[in-house]
Each structure stands twice: as C-alpha cells, then as structure tokens.
Amino acid sequence: MDEIRKNFHNDLESVRAEVIRLGASLTESIPRATAVLLSGDLEGADYLVQADDEFDGRSAELEASCFEILALQAPVAADLRQIVANIKIAGELERSADLVVNICKAARRIYGHDIDPMLRGVISKMSEQAQKLFAATMEAFEESDSAKAAAIDDMDSYLDSLHRQFIQQIFESHSKSKIDLQVAVQLAVVARFYERIGDHAKNIAELIIYIVKGEDVRHASIEHIESTLQ
C-alpha cells in the first residue's frame, strides 16, 4: 500500500512539474510574439506558429495523465482538487498559447505596414504586463501561494486599462491617417489577444486558490477572495 501511495504522489508531482514547464514556455513566448509583431519578423512568426503543435500535444498529454490518475487512483479531498484544477489549468495554458499564435498571424497580415510609434509603445506595455501576469501566476502555482494568486486580479486590471487606452489610441491614429483601416482593425484584435491572455492568467490564479484553500472564487467578489486568505 505504501508503494502505491508513493507512486501516486510521484504521479502528482510529475503533473505539477509539467504544468510549471508549460507555464514557463508560455511566459517566454509572449515577448517573442511581440517582437515578431513589432519587427515584422515573418520567419519568427512561422516558428512560433509551428511550435504551437508541440505545445498543444503536451497540453493534451498533461490532461490525459490527470484523467489516468483519476481513473486509477480515485483521489479525494486536496489531491482530487489538485488533479481537477490541473486539468483546467492545462486548458487555460493551451488557449493562451493559441492567443500568442494569433498575435503572430496578425503580424503576417500587417506585414509591410508601419505602426504608429505611440501604438508600438502601448503594445510593448501590454506585452510586458501579460508576461508579468503569467510569470507571477506560475510563481504562485509553484509555491502554492494563494495570497500571491489573489494579487493577480490587480495586475489583470492594469492590463485591462492598457487595452482600453490602446483602443482609444487606435481610433486617434486612424483619424489622423497615421495608420490605414486594415492595420487599425488588426491591431484592435491584437490588443484583445493580450487582454485575453491576462484573463487566462487570472483564471489560473483562481484555480490556485481552489487548490490551496478549497474555495471556488471564480465568480466571487475580490472582498470574498481576500476573506478566504485570512
């Protein structure tokens, strides 16, 4: 029985380690996609688009490992929460990686068009904040730190404000004929991709709180979230 339990915990740790590796890969890909967008690097865009297949495969394998543990070990309590949450986290990471790919595809569509320097600056800020969000989220996951996870909400709010600022500047740049309509539309979509990446990081943070505290805070107010950590 002790050997079975030891193998079970080894399996849990393997799943946890793969979540951390996938999170690190995703975090590193955000600034790379931004560099592709701002530099018009078509070769870099192709590389990141093709690399997504491997990421998808690893996410699918992670989910399969979790389901296998559920079927063979029938975990309960905290162990069950961890496995169920990791299945959901795998999906959040996979969808975030798809958004990174979408940024690269947008870079292809506006290749050869200049981007207003002011817009370039806000794109860089959104990218930096999205990367910080995921780095902080994965740190909270690795440390099983629910307080750090709860702090992700404020970081996401800042990214949301950058998104709103960027959309306003797109309208202003287009009205002054600094960018054409095609570029304006594509950049508006790109801004939404960064904003959605932040949302996925926030979703993972809420799942971390669920793992650690057993509290489902996905639809709770920030006051309730903070009260669970006291």
Side-chain angles (χ1 to χ4, degrees), residues 87-102:
I87 292 171
K88 294 180 179 293
I89 289 172
E92 298 288 349
L93 290 170
E94 191 272 332
R95 286 186 286 276
S96 299
D98 287 342
L99 291 166
V100 171
V101 168
N102 288 342

Side-chain angles (χ1 to χ4, degrees), residues 23-226:
S25 295
L26 187 281
T27 303
E28 293 170 2
S29 71
I30 296 170
R32 294 175 67 185
T34 304
V36 163
L37 177 69
L38 295 179
S39 66
D41 180 5
L42 294 183
E43 183 177 347
D46 289 342
Y47 176 83
L48 288 175
V49 170
Q50 292 172 15
D52 188 54
D53 288 340
E54 178 184 353
F55 195 98
D56 289 347
R58 290 172 62 189
S59 297
E61 289 176 3
L62 175 60
E63 290 182 346
S65 296
C66 290
F67 283 120
E68 183 176 355
I69 293 172
L70 285 175
L72 298 179
Q73 302 289 350
V76 296
D79 291 337
L80 177 60
R81 290 203 308 271
Q82 182 176 337
I83 291 298
V84 170
N86 283 337
I87 292 171
K88 294 180 179 293
I89 289 172
E92 298 288 349
L93 290 170
E94 191 272 332
R95 286 186 286 276
S96 299
D98 287 342
L99 291 166
V100 171
V101 168
N102 288 342
I103 293 171
C104 295
K105 290 179 178 178
R108 289 171 171 173
R109 289 190 286 269
I110 63 173
Y111 178 75
H113 293 272
D114 291 331
I115 302 176
D116 185 342
M118 185 175 293
L119 294 177
R120 294 173 68 91
V122 183
I123 289 171
S124 295
K125 288 181 181 179
M126 286 191 294
S127 173
E128 180 180 351
Q129 187 63 12
Q131 183 186 22
K132 285 181 178 178
L133 264 166
F134 252 102
T137 299
M138 296 316 301
E139 180 178 304
F141 178 86
E142 187 167 4
E143 297 175 4
S144 297
D145 191 325
S146 56
K148 285 185 177 180
I152 298 301
D153 185 73
D154 286 339
M155 297 179 70
D156 184 55
S157 294
Y158 178 57
L159 181 56
D160 290 343
S161 70
L162 287 173
H163 176 232
R164 291 189 295 270
Q165 175 187 341
F166 187 67
I167 295 300
Q168 181 61 38
Q169 290 186 350
I170 288 174
F171 283 122
E172 292 176 3
S173 294
H174 179 58
S175 66
K176 295 176 182 178
S177 300
K178 292 183 178 180
I179 55 174
D180 63 26
L181 182 60
Q182 176 189 353
V183 176
V185 170
Q186 289 299 320
L187 290 180
V189 173
V190 164
R192 176 62 173 162
F193 294 153
Y194 285 114
E195 192 266 341
R196 286 296 298 146
I197 289 172
D199 287 345
H200 287 304
K202 180 181 175 182
N203 291 345
I204 293 173
E206 291 171 349
L207 288 165
I208 294 168
I209 294 172
Y210 174 67
I211 292 172
V212 177
K213 306 288 290 187
E215 289 277 344
D216 186 349
V217 297
R218 287 174 295 175
H219 307 294
S221 66
I222 187 62
E223 291 80 7
H224 175 70
I225 294 173
E226 290 174 346

Side-chain angles (χ1 to χ4, degrees), residues 7-28:
N7 290 337
F8 170 57
H9 281 290
N10 286 341
D11 290 342
L12 285 179
E13 186 55 36
S14 294
V15 165
R16 177 180 169 82
E18 181 61 9
V19 169
I20 292 170
R21 285 192 291 268
L22 282 174
S25 295
L26 187 281
T27 303
E28 293 170 2

